[in-house]
Structure formats: structure tokens, C-alpha cells
Amino acid sequence: MHIETIVTNAKVYNTYTKQFREVDFAIDGGRFVAIGSKDELKKLTAKTIIDAKKRSIIPGLIDIHLHIESSMVTPETFSYALLQNGVTTIVPEPHEMANVFGIEGVRAMIQASDYCTVDMLYAIPSSVPATSLETTGGEIGIKEMDELMATEQIQCLGEIMNFVDVLHDQDSKTNQVLNHFRKHYPSLPIEGHVPKLTGLDLDQILLSGIGSDHTHQTVDGMQARIEAGMFVQIQEKSMTDDVLDYVKTHDISEHFCFVTDDIMTDVLFEKGHLNILAEKAVKAGMRYEDVIYACTATPAKRMNMIDRGAIAVGKIADFAIVDENSYFSFSAVYKNGVCVFDALLKENQKVRPDQFPAHFYKSVHLPHLTAEDFIIKAENTSGEQLVRVMNVKDGSTFTKETHVPLSVQDGMLEWERSDCRLIATFERHKKTGNRAHGLIAGDIIQEGAIATTYSHDNHNLLVIGTNVADMVKAANMVIEAQGGFCVTHNNDVKAFLPLPVGGILSEAPLEEVGRNVKQLVEAMKALGYKHYNPIMSVSTLSLPVSPALKITDFGLIDVNKGKVVSLFV
């Protein structure tokens, strides 16, 4: 029997025993066709023979919950980065681009993925907009979902974000979507976003059809989810010592996997992707074989991917050869039995320009802003006014609401003379012209300003600053560039990343975007921002499903109550 490839002298991870074994294996037609000893495979002849030189070989890594747009690069650039880090299959949910362009944005992302080596099996965005308390450029409803199910390869229904409506409004759009999917696509997994919910609330979430949660986990919360039958997706911010200790000491390997959710470009370029979490888990004391399982087998099972997640006969031949003296760095990666990354022959990325429709590059519909756009009129003409303040704390993208008295002069709130910073958002999709102002404090900038159209999930223009001049400068820089992320100080631009595709993506090579993002982070920290992920911290200040006080073009949002609240107490 003549086949394409035989790999010899390998230590191969066996998914079903969670052990390594010394075997040879054969590949033909992009799949594993035989696995065994040299004697067992001696009847086979091959066009290519690969000597693994006793190195470990593991299945290609699988990430089932992520948003490509969070990296601010195109699917093609993202694929280029993933392969270097052993990731061969992902389930991206393009709800960022959907919030800008609706179903057209989803289709554009899927079409852009046609050029990718990594398998990108898409999730339908279920929450566009995430709530009814914001203005987005596009909307995804049941009609659009049915269209996508009919025309595209869809792996799951993306995360249901508005848990408040699931629990408290049976006639809400969210519950209509859930009822529709349970009825018409019963085999399709439904992903969830259910922070902190337990008890009867969690039971109601499960009853609605939502089967997973990827939000920030505690031991108690994770245990409650697993005991209730919910699948847990552990992202890096949940990898605390106590959570990992629980994972190590309890038999829950079938009930969780590791996911990235959001990876910044500088991290993607300099450190890696899902393999970062895997390496961290091993260093925390998890058994290497169990970590591999949580990055390959369980995500494949959760998404009904019966053709991958293991090096086994009949499976797609996706695998990675592990570097010596390493756990999750790779000397070579194979997709469908073909080498797609070789560390010794690493090639520079070639970028295709104009990967999206022409109007995707003209999506910021705002005039230049002036100082008047950052004035807050108070309810009083003088004296003091008690105001709500969003407080940012390092270690989380959640905020806390506090109440602070601020001086009022001539009917204007004198925020620039306080310890509070101004946060403002401007609707840029040419729909309502809404704008809103709020106040923010905590582990944020102490000088200068930040402006961006990369603001979850509505991606309206978001501006934060300590003074009006810097805010105007940063905002207009982003508007002129048709999207981006800008940091200013003393009326000078300290860092800028253009994001011309929908105001949220760059078509530049990974190295260039990674370098620019690193400069952004450094500039933000130089102005006093104290956060493990400053860019994600800023961009989620407009996310009205992430507790507790956020801002959209509708105004300040009390997330837990699901309603707009006044700036003035």
C-alpha cells in the first residue's frame, strides 16, 4: 500500500489514554490512516518519510471561543499567527464586525477566512446589539441567523450576552432567538456569557438552552456550573491558583477546556495564543497530558467536531511537533498532513490588501469634534453636584459604581479640577447622532487622553481624558483615519494605531500591528493606566453586559439592572 507520508520515531500523544507512546503513523488524503509500531507499518510505502527524532507530537490545538477582531488584525493575519503556536482549528464569533455591518460583516469575515490555512468554523453572533441600550451599525436577528445557517458552515450559536433579558423578559429578542434555535437547530451548541450567576438563575439559563460559560470563574461558580451540567471554558483571567487547584484535584476533564476569548496583537506576536494558557497550566502543576486534553479533545467534543482533536485513524491529520525542552512551543505544525509551519524556515507574512468591500473602509461618520463636545452641563448652576463614577480596577474588566461630589460653576461640571476623568461616547454609524458623557476614576490615566473606535460591542467613538484639549486631539485623529486607537498628551500624539477596516481592524502585517499595539500599551501606562490589559480595559468600558457601570451612546448603564441611569445622583 502506497501512501503520502509516514512519520517515524515519534512520541505520540494518545487522547484516549492520555499518555504518550512511541509509535509511527501514516497520513494519506489529509487524514491519519495507520498508527503503530515500525513492524506494523512496514507494509506501507510512502512518498515522504519524516523522522521525528524522538520528539513529542500532539494534536493541533483547538480554540472554540474567541473573537478575531479583538486582535485587530484580519483572519488571514490571525491564521498566520495561530499556526506558529500550534493552533489548527478555531471557532471565531465575529460579533464585533457584525455590530458594525450586520450580516454583511459576518459574511465578509467568513469570506476573508477562505484564504486561511487554519480551519475557521464560525459561530453566529447571537447578541447584535448586545442589548437594546446602545446604537450599533448592524443588527443580527432570527431572519439573518436563518440566512447564515442556510448559506454558511456554522458551528454554533455564539455567546448569549444579555443574561438579564433571559432571566427577566420572556418576550425579549434574546429569548425569541433561544426558542427559535432550540426548535429549528437542536443539535447546535449554544454558547453563554453568564457572569456570577448561580442557583435558580443558573438553572433558568440552562433551561433556555445555553450550555457553556466562558466568563471570569471562581471555584464556587465553576463547581456550580459543572454540577448543573454546564460546560466551562477557562480563559486566562480565570486561571487563578484556586481554580487551577480545583481542576487538578477533581475529575472534571470532560467538563472544561481552555479558550482565549480575546488576545491582544502584541501578545499574539510576542508570546503566542492558546499555548500561553496551556504553558501556564503546566507550570501551575497540571499534568501535561491533561492540559493537552483540555486544548484538543474536550473543545472538539463540545463543538461536535468528531473529525479532529486526536491523533487517531480517520481523523484529520492536524498535529504539531513539540520543541525539545518545551511543552507548547513547536518546531513544526502540520495541517491536513502538510507542513504549514517550520521554525527553521519561518517566512515573512505576505499581506493581501483590500480584503473587504470598499465601504468597510469608510465607516466612521462623524464631523470633527470641538471643546464644546466635552462640556457637561450640571443640574445646578453652582455649588456641588453628586455624580456617579465608573471605577476601574486592575485585574478585571468589571467596574464599580461610586458617588462623588463635584464642583459646579456657571452650570458646568468642573470635572477637570477633580480626581475624576471624563469619558464620552459618540455614535458613529450615521443612525442616531447620540452622545453621552460620564465620569471615570481608579486605575486609569492620570494625564492626557485616549480615543478609539475599538469599543465593545457597539464600536462607537469612545474618548477618555483628563483635559479637553487632549481629548479633542485624540478624537479627531481617529475620525480622520476612519478608525483607530490614539493616545495623546500635551496636545501631542504619543501612539496611534490606524484601524481602517470597519474602524476595528488593520490589514498591516502581524509584526507591524503588534509593534503599534505595544507602543499603545506603553503610552497608556506612561500616562498612569494601571491594568494587566489596558486596551481591553478601555474597550470594555462601553460593554453594557459587563458589570457594573458602563457607558453607551444611550448614557450610563447599570448593567445588573439592565437600564440607563443618570450621571447625577
Side-chain angles (χ1 to χ4, degrees):
M1 180 179 176
H2 189 72
I3 58 169
E4 292 172 355
T5 306
I6 292 177
V7 179
T8 65
N9 299 318
K11 292 192 294 184
V12 177
Y13 177 76
N14 185 291
T15 295
Y16 309 106
T17 63
K18 297 181 186 175
Q19 294 177 331
F20 283 91
R21 55 178 180 159
E22 294 186 7
V23 291
D24 293 357
F25 60 90
I27 301 166
D28 197 59
R31 293 181 180 263
F32 300 110
V33 296
I35 300 174
S37 66
K38 282 183 171 59
D39 288 341
E40 291 172 320
L41 270 63
K42 64 184 180 182
K43 295 180 181 179
L44 303 178
T45 59
K47 179 180 178 181
T48 302
I49 296 178
I50 300 169
D51 185 354
K53 300 179 181 178
K54 303 294 184 182
R55 286 174 295 182
S56 298
I57 294 181
I58 67 174
L61 305 185
I62 300 173
D63 190 344
I64 61 171
H65 183 89
L66 58 82
H67 311 283
I68 293 173
E69 303 99 312
S70 293
S71 70
M72 298 184 279
V73 296
T74 62
E76 193 171 19
T77 298
F78 200 68
S79 174
Y80 169 82
L82 292 179
L83 292 173
Q84 300 172 42
N85 295 293
V87 180
T88 54
T89 299
I90 61 173
V91 181
E93 183 192 336
H95 71 216
E96 314 299 353
M97 194 62 82
N99 270 283
V100 182
F101 292 113
I103 191 172
E104 186 184 16
V106 176
R107 286 202 167 117
M109 289 293 286
I110 293 174
Q111 290 167 7
S113 302
D114 289 342
Y115 296 89
C116 299
T117 302
V118 169
D119 283 339
M120 298 185 177
L121 310 175
Y122 275 80
I124 293 181
S126 67
S127 304
V128 180
T131 72
S132 59
L133 302 174
E134 58 191 316
T135 303
T136 59
E139 185 172 343
I140 301 291
I142 290 174
K143 174 179 175 290
E144 290 79 12
M145 293 176 184
D146 284 341
E147 286 183 31
L148 290 168
M149 287 297 299
T151 60
E152 311 293 345
Q153 182 180 352
I154 299 298
Q155 206 66 29
C156 69
L157 180 63
E159 60 180 301
I160 298 289
M161 300 182 73
N162 195 342
F163 60 88
V164 174
D165 274 4
V166 176
L167 296 175
H168 303 298
D169 185 356
Q170 291 303 308
D171 296 325
S172 66
K173 173 189 171 183
T174 303
N175 278 315
Q176 290 174 25
V177 166
L178 287 166
N179 293 335
H180 182 80
F181 263 79
R182 286 203 314 275
K183 179 179 179 180
H184 295 279
Y185 313 107
S187 63
L188 203 74
I190 299 176
E191 297 289 87
H193 176 112
V194 287
K196 298 185 178 181
L197 297 185
T198 56
L200 290 177
D201 285 345
L202 184 62
D203 289 345
Q204 192 170 333
I205 291 291
L206 285 159
L207 191 62
S208 74
I210 297 169
S212 73
D213 181 35
H214 70 279
T215 59
H216 197 165
Q217 300 295 330
T218 63
V219 169
D220 290 343
M222 184 169 65
Q223 182 174 345
R225 280 153 177 70
I226 291 173
E227 288 177 349
M230 180 174 274
F231 189 82
V232 176
Q233 298 165 347
I234 299 177
Q235 55 175 299
E236 188 172 13
K237 66 184 179 184
S238 294
M239 294 178 70
T240 57
D241 290 343
D242 54 347
V243 166
L244 291 176
D245 284 342
Y246 181 85
V247 170
K248 288 184 291 183
T249 55
H250 291 74
D251 184 15
I252 61 168
S253 61
E254 297 300 325
H255 308 294
F256 84 96
C257 71
F258 292 110
V259 299
T260 58
D261 196 8
D262 303 294
I263 288 278
M264 293 292 101
T265 327
D266 55 336
V267 175
L268 185 64
F269 174 63
E270 294 182 341
K271 297 179 180 179
H273 192 256
L274 187 62
N275 54 327
I276 298 174
L277 282 69
E279 194 84 39
K280 185 174 181 177
V282 173
K283 290 179 179 178
M286 276 189 71
R287 205 170 71 100
Y288 180 39
E289 292 82 355
D290 293 337
V291 177
I292 298 170
Y293 196 82
C295 293
T296 57
T298 47
K301 291 177 185 178
R302 166 65 187 163
M303 287 295 150
N304 300 323
M305 298 175 184
I306 61 173
D307 59 355
R308 67 195 71 203
I311 298 174
V313 172
K315 304 285 188 185
I316 292 174
D318 294 351
F319 62 95
I321 301 177
V322 182
D323 271 342
E324 292 183 276
N325 304 316
S326 172
Y327 291 112
F328 290 100
S329 295
F330 307 102
S331 58
V333 176
Y334 287 74
K335 182 79 188 74
N336 300 323
V338 176
C339 184
V340 291
F341 168 71
D342 187 324
L344 297 177
L345 302 173
K346 184 176 177 181
E347 298 181 358
N348 293 328
Q349 183 192 359
K350 298 175 182 177
V351 178
R352 290 184 306 114
D354 303 322
Q355 299 175 38
F356 292 85
H359 64 281
F360 275 45
Y361 302 89
K362 297 178 181 179
S363 67
V364 181
H365 304 287
L366 281 172
H368 278 194
L369 301 184
T370 68
E372 292 184 358
D373 294 306
F374 298 99
I375 292 174
I376 302 180
K377 293 182 180 180
E379 293 178 332
N380 304 331
T381 56
S382 62
E384 284 190 340
Q385 185 87 50
L386 195 63
V387 296
R388 284 184 170 86
V389 178
M390 303 164 57
N391 279 265
V392 173
K393 186 173 178 59
D394 188 9
S396 177
T397 53
F398 294 172
T399 64
K400 180 181 178 181
E401 177 180 328
T402 58
H403 299 162
V404 176
L406 289 190
S407 298
V408 176
Q409 184 70 35
D410 298 327
M412 306 298 177
L413 206 61
E414 294 194 306
W415 62 268
E416 284 185 274
R417 297 185 181 182
S418 74
D419 291 331
C420 297
R421 315 304 174 209
L422 178 63
I423 181 168
T425 185
F426 302 85
E427 190 273 321
R428 56 100 167 182
H429 302 294
K430 208 174 181 179
K431 288 195 169 183
T432 65
N434 285 349
R435 56 182 58 194
H437 298 84
L439 293 162
I440 189 167
D443 295 334
I444 58 168
I445 55 172
Q446 305 303 307
E447 301 175 278
I450 300 167
T452 184
T453 45
Y454 174 80
S455 55
H456 298 306
D457 275 340
N458 49 70
H459 299 294
N460 288 313
L461 177 66
L462 187 70
V463 191
I464 304 167
T466 61
N467 66 86
V468 169
D470 280 331
M471 294 179 80
V472 171
K473 181 78 171 183
N476 288 336
M477 184 80 178
V478 171
I479 291 169
E480 290 170 8
Q482 281 296 300
F485 208 116
C486 184
V487 179
T488 57
H489 184 228
N490 290 334
N491 209 32
D492 184 33
V493 175
K494 296 300 182 183
F496 180 64
L497 171 65
L499 298 172
V501 183
I504 58 175
L505 296 185
S506 169
E507 286 183 324
L510 177 67
E511 182 175 359
E512 180 180 331
V513 181
R515 185 170 58 248
N516 285 343
V517 169
K518 187 175 182 180
Q519 290 172 354
L520 280 175
V521 171
E522 291 173 349
M524 292 167 69
K525 288 182 176 179
L527 297 184
Y529 215 114
K530 299 176 182 177
H531 200 276
Y532 75 97
N533 191 336
I535 290 177
M536 187 55 61
S537 174
V538 168
S539 67
T540 53
L541 293 172
S542 57
L543 183 60
V545 295
S546 176
L549 186 66
K550 297 296 174 76
I551 190 170
T552 74
D553 61 301
F554 279 40
L556 291 176
I557 308 298
D558 184 323
V559 175
N560 294 324
K561 293 181 179 179
K563 68 177 186 178
V564 178
V565 293
S566 172
L567 170 62
F568 304 108
V569 180

